[in-house]
Amino acid sequence: MLRLIKYFGLYLFVFCSFVNYGQSQKKIDSLTTIINNLPNDSNKVNTILILSNLYNIYSSKENINYLIEAQKLSKDIAFDNGIKKTSSILINNLYYKEMYDVSLKFCLDYIEYLEKNNFTSDRFKAYNILANLYTKQGEYDKAMSNYNLAKKYYLAEKEEIKYANVLTNISILYSEKKDYDSAMFYSVRALEIYKQNNNSAYMANCVLSIAEVYLNNNDFDRGKKRAFEALDLYSNMYYKHGMCNCYFVIGQLYNLNHNTDSALKYFNVALLYSDTLKMNFIKRDCYHYISNTYYSINKFKEAYDYNELFQAYQDSSELNTVKGKMLEMEVKYDISKKEDQLKEQEFEIVANNKQRNYLLMLIFVIFILFFISFKAYKNKKKSNELISEQKKLVDEKQKEVYESINYAKRIQFALLANLELVKNNIPEHFVLFKPKDIVSGDFYWATEHNNMFYIAVCDSTGHGVPGAFMSLLNIGFLNEAVKEKDISKPNEILNYVRKRLIDSIGNDGQQDGMDAILVCFDKINKTITYAAANNEPILISVNNLESEIIELPKDKMPVGKGERIDSFTLQAINIKSGDTLYLYTDGYADQFGGPKGKKFKYKQLNELLLKNSNLSMSIQMEELMNTFMNWKGDLEQVDDVCVIGIKI
């Protein structure tokens, strides 16, 4: 017992002494002496983790040796928490040292351990790390496969921040592939989640990524707006590394706009930060951009001086790359040597484990005594327990209802149009889908049959759970019409769905049904036809470099029981390359908001679509979402929203 108190006091001393430590040899030496006097137990593992953090994460190899020792000890004493901590920190340390192949080996071994022991949450976190490693090695398909595993898990578990982090990593993957539209799409989705959770740090990273996409697309105004927005977020947190990156991106944007004075100003601020923070790659690139900027305004002496500094850093960077490879080989050798040394210590560990087992038995006895005392106390509070159980029962029922609705959401989302199918048939498009509640009466549907591609935007009667039931019924009848009845014309498909709805619901359904736009792309004849029930498609056509809005015809009757039950009209669309077709429900136009709390209305929506029609589809979606959220403000969303844009 005295020995237990001794080691507990020793560990407490270590913790208190090194909470605010810096990397100094004196502290490293002191902590090493303490570790040598500790038994092989969980305290020793945790203390080694403290020691490893004192070393430079980018260059030191000593921390790798200590982490491998702590990982081996954790495995020997079956310390699961220690295995998880040491493994994840070891993998990240190797990653920061750009030793991706060694990090990959440890990561795969770690995932095998997590799968074997059913540590589900840690396993999907490891999949995300594994995907980052594959991205760095250019194996994008393997990376995306692992990102999708993590993404599906976090979505199902409703872990929004972790889900958004995976989206951010996917955005980085697409940026490295130079697919900037896809990078923008995932960054925008992640940013919306961070905003909903008021997470400023992640918001800043996302906003800066969006600014860099605008920079790559030569869009100065939007890039500048986003870069300064990110700078404000970083400044409020006083996160200097992020501020440095912002100043560097702003400098590039001003260079893009030929504003050399502002460009030089921000490059010099970034240079000052990068020098203080030892961000050598930013420092080197600042020299390069400043040199080119001076050259563009005929200040050749200044251009030459900064180019000399850039070349010096370029040479230094190449030397550091060679040193990094040497460090990697040295670490690999040390890992092999350390594993041999640890095998020799196994006999000593077995002896120490006996002492640990006696200690665990003592703790177990203390726990039993505590449990008996606690049980006696609970018996005295039996009446309070009864109330607590009743409350728990009510909470569980509420949880069951909430979980059921969320499960219904996953079912509904699974039945919505497959985005890969849509992308294969319409490469340039966007889908803005924002339900009012957890489940939705609005839905978008697509299928492919007999060289015909169909896409629909529909608004079922109601929203929330009633609307979702109607949407599932409508989706089923659409699939039945095309796949089973082999109906090909959009108007006849809507006629069939209406008949099935009336026959199925009967008089009890009254006027339940849907408003819908169903478009058919004939791949053989290269024609586009549609049928529209109450909602009208919008075509923005380009003529003589000017764009105009064309409101296409519709039938003023629903797909369901209404005042009219005429046959729907088959409409043809004459579209040329460069035109854009928009399909939407009434949710966006009916939203209340703005300074006077009024409806947005269709006219304003169509003008917004016309204004943004020359932008890329992902940016159009972002502008629509931002406009909607700004208009809505603090007011409640009144209806489901669904908008699809199709560039021909």
Side-chain angles (χ1 to χ4, degrees):
M1 189 67 182
L2 289 173
R3 189 171 185 181
L4 172 64
I5 295 170
K6 170 186 173 184
Y7 287 125
F8 178 79
L10 185 59
Y11 184 71
L12 184 62
F13 166 75
V14 170
F15 178 80
C16 295
S17 299
F18 291 91
V19 168
N20 295 312
Y21 57 79
Q23 186 172 353
S24 70
Q25 192 59 45
K26 182 178 179 182
K27 289 181 180 179
I28 291 173
D29 292 342
S30 299
L31 201 51
T32 302
T33 302
I34 292 171
I35 289 171
N36 291 335
N37 291 318
L38 285 172
N40 290 327
D41 57 13
S42 59
N43 285 345
K44 186 171 185 177
V45 173
N46 291 325
T47 310
I48 291 174
L49 288 173
I50 295 174
L51 175 63
S52 71
N53 287 334
L54 292 177
Y55 291 95
N56 189 308
I57 194 172
Y58 296 102
S59 60
S60 297
K61 68 181 180 67
E62 289 85 352
N63 58 337
I64 299 296
N65 295 330
Y66 282 115
L67 287 167
I68 292 171
E69 179 182 350
Q71 186 195 55
K72 179 66 168 59
L73 176 56
S74 297
K75 290 179 179 178
D76 290 340
I77 63 176
F79 179 30
D80 287 329
N81 198 39
I83 295 172
K84 289 188 281 187
K85 282 185 179 179
T86 55
S87 297
S88 59
I89 295 173
L90 176 60
I91 292 164
N92 284 326
N93 269 258
L94 292 167
Y95 178 90
Y96 285 126
K97 293 179 178 66
E98 298 182 357
M99 299 182 190
Y100 302 125
D101 56 340
V102 184
S103 183
L104 183 63
K105 173 187 177 299
F106 277 100
C107 190
L108 291 171
D109 290 343
Y110 179 44
I111 288 174
E112 183 180 355
Y113 158 78
L114 295 172
E115 290 174 343
K116 181 179 178 181
N117 291 277
N118 294 320
F119 292 126
T120 304
S121 178
D122 296 288
R123 175 160 56 91
F124 283 96
K125 181 179 178 182
Y127 287 152
N128 191 29
I129 297 170
L130 179 61
N132 291 342
L133 286 164
Y134 280 135
T135 298
K136 284 296 183 182
Q137 294 184 322
E139 298 194 45
Y140 300 121
D141 290 340
K142 288 183 179 180
M144 185 58 76
S145 175
N146 283 277
Y147 282 139
N148 285 334
L149 287 173
K151 185 174 66 169
K152 288 178 182 178
Y153 173 75
Y154 292 134
L155 182 62
E157 295 297 314
K158 300 185 286 295
E159 296 193 43
E160 293 187 338
I161 294 298
K162 292 180 180 179
Y163 175 73
N165 290 343
V166 178
L167 297 183
T168 302
N169 288 336
I170 294 175
S171 171
I172 293 170
L173 181 149
Y174 278 114
S175 289
E176 294 206 1
K177 292 176 67 176
K178 302 191 184 305
D179 183 351
Y180 299 117
D181 283 348
S182 296
M184 173 69 79
F185 175 77
Y186 283 100
S187 289
V188 169
R189 290 179 65 189
L191 180 60
E192 182 181 354
I193 295 171
Y194 293 143
K195 283 182 177 178
Q196 289 172 356
N197 289 273
N198 198 26
N199 193 310
S200 298
Y202 288 132
M203 282 170 55
N205 295 336
C206 255
V207 173
L208 185 57
S209 295
I210 292 171
E212 291 180 287
V213 173
Y214 283 131
L215 173 63
N216 286 307
N217 285 333
N218 297 323
D219 190 335
F220 169 75
D221 291 330
R222 287 186 173 87
K224 175 186 170 186
K225 177 184 175 183
R226 286 298 195 178
F228 275 105
E229 183 181 340
L231 180 59
D232 287 341
L233 290 168
Y234 282 129
S235 299
N236 290 336
M237 296 181 292
Y238 201 60
Y239 182 54
K240 294 182 179 179
H241 289 78
M243 293 164 64
C244 179
N245 286 321
C246 283
Y247 289 127
F248 181 59
V249 171
I250 293 169
Q252 293 177 75
L253 284 162
Y254 276 118
N255 232 351
L256 176 69
N257 200 42
H258 306 296
N259 187 337
T260 54
D261 288 341
S262 295
L264 288 170
K265 170 187 171 183
Y266 284 99
F267 281 139
N268 279 303
V269 175
L271 185 61
L272 180 63
Y273 272 86
S274 62
D275 185 49
T276 303
L277 301 171
K278 306 301 181 187
M279 298 171 69
N280 291 332
F281 287 108
I282 296 290
K283 187 175 182 180
R284 179 199 64 192
D285 291 344
C286 281
Y287 285 143
H288 180 62
Y289 275 98
I290 292 172
S291 174
N292 288 344
T293 305
Y294 275 127
Y295 186 85
S296 69
I297 56 176
N298 300 325
K299 291 190 176 183
F300 301 117
K301 181 182 184 305
E302 290 85 350
Y304 175 82
D305 290 341
Y306 277 97
N307 187 59
E308 286 285 294
L309 293 169
F310 166 69
Q311 291 297 333
Y313 260 84
Q314 190 80 329
D315 295 341
S316 173
S317 177
E318 292 174 1
L319 179 60
N320 285 336
T321 300
V322 174
K323 288 181 178 179
K325 290 295 180 184
M326 292 176 65
L327 176 60
E328 181 175 353
M329 289 187 287
E330 188 177 354
V331 167
K332 287 180 179 178
Y333 171 74
D334 284 347
I335 289 172
S336 176
K337 185 171 67 174
K338 180 61 67 177
E339 287 175 348
D340 291 338
Q341 291 174 348
L342 290 173
K343 285 180 182 178
E344 295 175 1
Q345 297 172 1
E346 286 183 355
F347 292 108
E348 182 181 351
I349 291 172
V350 170
N352 289 330
N353 281 345
K354 291 182 179 179
Q355 180 181 356
R356 175 182 59 86
N357 291 337
Y358 290 137
L359 179 60
L360 289 175
M361 289 177 62
L362 177 60
I363 293 172
F364 179 75
V365 170
I366 294 172
F367 176 79
I368 292 296
L369 292 173
F370 172 80
F371 179 78
I372 293 171
S373 301
F374 180 72
K375 197 72 176 174
Y377 170 78
K378 288 197 72 176
N379 288 335
K380 294 179 182 179
K381 300 291 182 181
K382 194 170 183 179
S383 59
N384 289 339
E385 277 189 8
L386 180 60
I387 296 172
S388 177
E389 284 298 319
Q390 291 173 341
K391 181 180 182 299
K392 182 180 178 182
L393 183 62
V394 172
D395 291 342
E396 286 177 353
K397 291 297 181 183
Q398 288 179 332
K399 182 181 178 184
E400 287 176 8
V401 172
Y402 184 76
E403 287 178 348
S404 296
I405 296 174
N406 272 285
Y407 186 69
K409 175 186 176 182
R410 291 199 292 273
I411 294 173
Q412 185 182 36
F413 270 65
L415 294 175
L416 294 178
N418 184 296
L419 292 179
E420 286 297 323
L421 173 66
V422 177
K423 187 173 183 180
N424 290 338
N425 286 276
I426 310 172
E428 291 190 74
H429 75 280
F430 71 79
V431 177
L432 173 59
F433 182 59
K434 187 172 178 59
K436 176 185 184 297
D437 302 307
I438 298 174
V439 288
S440 170
D442 283 13
F443 66 92
Y444 54 96
W445 172 86
T447 192
E448 195 173 18
H449 187 65
N450 293 338
N451 292 310
M452 304 279 195
F453 174 69
Y454 299 89
I455 187 166
V457 170
C458 306
D459 181 1
S460 304
T461 306
H463 51 74
V465 174
F469 273 112
M470 284 303 303
S471 72
L472 296 181
L473 199 61
N474 291 326
I475 289 171
F477 290 152
L478 285 168
N479 285 321
E480 183 180 308
V482 177
K483 296 291 187 179
E484 296 181 20
K485 301 301 180 181
D486 207 25
I487 303 172
S488 59
K489 294 181 180 179
N491 61 321
E492 293 178 1
I493 294 171
L494 293 188
N495 287 339
Y496 177 83
V497 173
R498 177 174 60 192
K499 183 177 183 306
R500 292 287 284 121
L501 282 169
I502 293 173
D503 291 345
S504 299
I505 299 175
N507 292 327
D508 292 338
Q510 298 176 2
Q511 295 186 358
D512 288 336
M514 64 176 175
D515 297 334
I517 305 171
L518 174 60
V519 182
C520 173
F521 295 84
D522 188 329
K523 299 181 181 180
I524 302 298
N525 299 314
K526 307 298 182 183
T527 59
I528 303 176
T529 56
Y530 78 93
N534 280 334
N535 290 342
E536 60 190 16
I538 299 298
L539 178 66
I540 295 183
S541 181
V542 180
N543 294 308
N544 299 323
L545 301 179
E546 290 188 3
S547 299
E548 61 173 336
I549 300 176
I550 301 173
E551 298 179 0
L552 299 176
K554 65 181 178 183
D555 289 316
K556 293 184 178 180
M557 55 183 176
V559 182
K561 183 177 287 188
E563 295 179 2
R564 291 176 54 202
I565 312 183
D566 300 330
S567 176
F568 288 99
T569 308
L570 179 65
Q571 308 282 0
I573 311 177
N574 295 319
I575 295 184
K576 58 182 179 300
S577 179
D579 289 354
T580 309
L581 182 65
Y582 296 95
L583 319 175
Y584 53 67
T585 60
D586 58 0
Y588 199 110
D590 287 347
Q591 179 60 45
F592 289 97
K596 296 182 179 180
K598 294 185 176 181
K599 283 188 178 182
F600 194 84
K601 295 187 178 179
Y602 289 101
K603 180 180 179 182
Q604 189 174 188
L605 173 56
N606 292 340
E607 288 173 352
L608 177 62
L609 295 174
L610 175 63
K611 174 185 173 184
N612 296 327
S613 60
N614 62 328
L615 303 176
S616 71
M617 302 309 282
S618 60
I619 297 176
Q620 286 192 48
M621 186 190 74
E622 183 192 359
E623 291 295 323
L624 278 172
M625 176 61 77
N626 289 340
T627 302
F628 182 82
M629 298 305 293
N630 290 334
W631 179 265
K632 182 175 77 71
D634 296 329
L635 297 180
E636 181 183 358
Q637 184 174 333
V638 299
D639 199 359
D640 304 318
V641 172
C642 185
V643 183
I644 292 182
I646 302 170
K647 178 74 76 174
I648 305 302

